[in-house]
Amino acid sequence: ITNQTPTIPTQGFQIPENSPNGSFIGTVLASDPDTNQVLTYSILSGNVSGAVAIDTLTGILTVANSSALNFEITPTISLQVEAEDNGIPSLSSQATVTVSLIDLNEAPLISNQSFAIAENSANGSSVGTVVATDPDAGQTKTFSILSGNTNGAFTIHPLTGMLTVANSAVLNFETTPSIALIIKVQDNGTGNLSSQATITISITDVNEVPVLNNQSFSI
């Protein structure tokens, strides 16, 4: 009896990006004209950063490196998978197995930041622009001040993140040398995800004119 080559068709699967390690992706299907033979599966190429693993006996694909499942960087992973029989001699076939990543909304990223502005700066003076990013391309970020804004000292532009002075009287180095704002950035993707950070604004000292009032004495 002559050993015959196993057959493995081109096939595809889908899985959400960022799926945890061990998540089930799918089972690679192959067949062999010879009965009672055992097929062994292996990934020959295309496994970007070791993103997935295949069970050598069952052909089950699972997540092996969750961080490599990033829709924005690698929306599709094309694996070259081999199915090999245990005949004599052993024969094998190869096929492309495509793993397509499903895009998920991801929270925007904002880190702690610091700015400085001179005390007594006029209302409308620019303090600086809060920087935030979003892993999802094309989304709109909205900024807001959650807390720490003593007496409404500052305001933030909801779309640009620019901080400006809103109450100049609060900017007094002698009484309040710094103000720590908790600022939120929210995306407009599914679920409207958000992140928060502390934005510290240092009030720099400026020499101020001494105060001398009219006074009266008698002797």
Side-chain angles (χ1 to χ4, degrees):
I1 300 176
T2 302
N3 186 29
Q4 300 179 73
T5 304
T7 300
I8 178 171
T10 299
Q11 46 205 290
F13 304 95
Q14 287 187 320
I15 190 170
E17 64 174 334
N18 308 322
S19 294
N21 289 349
S23 298
F24 174 78
I25 299 173
T27 302
V28 176
L29 299 178
S31 59
D32 195 308
D34 303 299
T35 59
N36 300 321
Q37 285 196 2
V38 176
L39 295 180
T40 303
Y41 299 86
S42 59
I43 299 174
L44 300 181
S45 62
N47 196 12
V48 179
S49 300
V52 302
I54 192 168
D55 188 289
T56 56
L57 295 180
T58 65
I60 292 175
L61 286 170
T62 55
V63 176
N65 182 6
S66 177
S67 63
L69 303 188
N70 190 325
F71 176 86
E72 286 71 29
I73 297 176
T74 311
T76 303
I77 299 173
S78 295
L79 306 172
Q80 196 69 19
V81 175
E82 180 182 74
E84 183 177 4
D85 65 23
N86 64 336
I88 301 175
S90 62
L91 298 175
S92 63
S93 293
Q94 303 172 14
T96 299
V97 177
T98 302
V99 179
S100 299
L101 301 184
I102 301 169
D103 191 18
L104 297 179
N105 187 28
E106 298 169 278
L109 305 173
I110 182 172
S111 59
N112 295 339
Q113 299 162 57
S114 299
F115 301 97
I117 191 168
E119 63 175 335
N120 308 322
S121 294
N123 288 349
S125 299
S126 174
V127 179
T129 300
V130 176
V131 176
T133 59
D134 196 308
D136 304 296
Q139 288 195 359
T140 299
K141 298 181 290 292
T142 303
F143 297 86
S144 59
I145 301 174
L146 296 182
S147 62
N149 196 16
T150 306
N151 294 323
F154 304 103
T155 186
I156 192 167
H157 192 287
L159 296 181
T160 66
M162 179 176 285
L163 283 168
T164 54
V165 176
N167 184 359
S168 178
V170 182
L171 305 190
N172 188 325
F173 174 83
E174 285 71 28
T175 60
T176 311
S178 69
I179 297 176
L181 305 175
I182 303 299
I183 290 184
K184 180 176 80 171
V185 58
Q186 179 174 297
D187 66 23
N188 65 335
T190 302
N192 297 122
L193 301 180
S194 64
S195 297
Q196 303 174 18
T198 300
I199 310 299
T200 303
I201 302 172
S202 299
I203 311 301
T204 58
D205 192 17
V206 173
N207 189 28
E208 298 169 277
V209 177
V211 177
L212 178 62
N213 297 317
N214 294 339
Q215 303 165 52
S216 296
F217 302 95
S218 62
I219 188 171

